[in-house]
Amino acid sequence: MKRLLLLGSLLAFSTPASALVRVVTSTADFASIAQAVGGKRVEAVSLAKGYQDPHFVEPKPSFILRLSRADLLIVAGLDLETGYLPPLLDQSRNGKIRPGSPGYLDASVGCEILERPSGVVTRAMGDVHPFGNPHYWLDPRNGRVIARAIAAKLSSLDPAGAAEYRTNLAAFEARLAEGEKRWDALLAPFAGTEVVTYHNSWPTFLKRFRLKAAGYVEPKPGVPPSPAHTIQLINLMRTRRVQLILMEPYFDERGPQSIAQKAGARVLTFIPSVGGVPAAKDYVALFDYDVKLLADALKARPR
Ligand SMILES: [Zn+2]
């Protein structure tokens, strides 16, 4: 009897599985922040893996099941998920997490969003950034805004956990602030340096660390490279002595490699989301990984 009790308590201890709040997010970055803020009271799972294109996630039946059981859905908004999420949300038949419901959080609210269009929004030329750049989580300042919004949302859905969420949020913010000191120190020597990126995924990252995008391998976000654009880009990289092409892990490397070779540059596979490589295991580790990769590559060449 005693052994059974002990076994029972061990099991209860090792599987705190009955999380109070089930969170589903589009990208792994939001899941990482939600887990950090939610701690043991929350189970946060992302639909997209960190090495997948966040615009074009292949829907799976398991997504519908996850959504049907979710208490909170966190999305990037700005139409990032428009290609796959709306039908899944319909099929999940979960009214709690529909846009406008208490269990829905658009993480872009309150964040600094770059490239917001000023005129009439159209999808001419297949632009997948119609409402501004949706890759805004790649600025740790926005990560802080997102964490605060998640803490407020969790506290309203689960008021009994409010104190715990506050404590977890403070710990997350402290860790992020420490990280920012490290990242600033590593990248400060390269302020003003221009790079090329494949997709326009890193404007907030580059702005935060005082770097610049000289151009993109894609002529427009979501539009595949054309020969004419590629020639222009090679010329621009030669003229401006651009050393690096930052490429998301989900594109074919051959195009960028050929451009880099002709322009005397090199390609870095840069990670846009948590889990894109095993080392980028959470939101802070993602920046540690990318910043070190970039700083090492810039150091390796004369400016
Ligand atoms: Zn994009």
Side-chain angles (χ1 to χ4, degrees):
M1 185 65 193
K2 208 175 173 188
R3 271 181 65 184
L4 273 177
L5 270 175
L6 183 66
L7 185 65
S9 62
L10 275 175
L11 278 176
F13 189 72
S14 60
T15 52
S18 55
L20 295 178
V21 188
R22 287 197 181 105
V23 180
V24 174
T25 71
S26 56
T27 83
D29 313 279
F30 303 142
S32 173
I33 298 173
Q35 197 62 67
V37 172
K40 291 195 292 287
R41 303 183 73 88
V42 161
E43 180 196 63
V45 180
S46 73
L47 299 179
K49 303 284 183 206
Y51 46 81
Q52 291 178 318
D53 186 338
H55 288 284
F56 305 105
V57 180
E58 197 180 332
K60 291 188 204 159
S62 62
F63 290 180
I64 298 168
L65 190 66
R66 284 210 183 282
L67 289 166
S68 71
R69 292 172 176 171
D71 302 302
L72 172 61
L73 172 64
I74 305 173
V75 298
L78 306 173
D79 261 12
L80 181 74
E81 296 91 358
T82 199
Y84 69 96
L85 192 56
L88 296 176
L89 205 46
D90 280 344
Q91 289 168 65
S92 78
R93 300 175 184 275
N94 182 353
K96 284 195 293 189
I97 57 165
R98 296 200 69 80
S101 303
Y104 178 87
L105 179 63
D106 178 339
S108 73
V109 176
C111 287
E112 185 189 24
I113 306 300
L114 303 177
E115 302 156 9
R116 280 208 200 263
S118 47
V120 179
V121 170
T122 71
R123 286 186 171 273
M125 301 283 296
D127 192 336
V128 292
H129 295 174
F131 300 114
N133 194 287
H135 305 276
Y136 55 84
W137 64 83
L138 290 159
D139 175 347
R141 293 174 300 193
N142 280 340
R144 191 172 286 114
V145 173
I146 295 164
R148 288 175 186 170
I150 292 174
K153 181 59 93 177
L154 288 174
S155 300
S156 75
L157 292 173
D158 172 30
E164 207 169 321
Y165 299 138
R166 248 195 319 275
T167 307
N168 294 345
L169 174 65
F172 176 79
E173 290 198 34
R175 223 183 129 219
L176 197 57
E178 281 301 311
E180 285 189 283
K181 281 186 210 158
R182 285 194 300 278
W183 309 326
D184 280 331
L186 280 169
L187 288 178
F190 309 108
T193 302
E194 291 188 314
V195 296
V196 159
T197 75
Y198 193 113
H199 180 80
N200 185 8
S201 299
W202 287 289
T204 51
F205 178 94
L206 296 175
K207 185 181 176 199
R208 169 63 184 79
F209 296 108
R210 296 185 292 152
L211 305 164
K212 287 178 184 158
Y216 311 97
V217 175
E218 288 181 337
K220 274 191 160 224
V223 177
S226 66
H229 175 76
T230 299
I231 290 167
Q232 270 179 6
L233 185 67
I234 292 166
N235 288 335
L236 178 145
M237 287 177 69
R238 281 186 183 147
T239 311
R240 312 248 281 254
R241 303 174 70 89
V242 176
Q243 302 166 19
L244 290 177
I245 298 176
L246 307 184
M247 191 192 79
E248 296 80 354
Y250 41 83
F251 291 115
D252 188 336
E253 205 183 21
R254 281 172 295 185
Q257 287 293 4
S258 147
I259 294 169
Q261 200 183 11
K262 292 182 179 112
R266 55 183 281 217
V267 179
L268 275 194
T269 301
F270 222 51
I271 303 303
S273 275
V274 169
V277 287
K281 64 182 191 323
D282 64 31
Y283 185 73
V284 171
L286 169 68
F287 287 94
D288 275 326
Y289 180 87
D290 278 340
V291 166
K292 182 168 187 314
L293 191 71
L294 182 55
D296 286 348
L298 290 171
K299 248 185 273 177
R301 290 212 172 197
R303 294 182 61 204

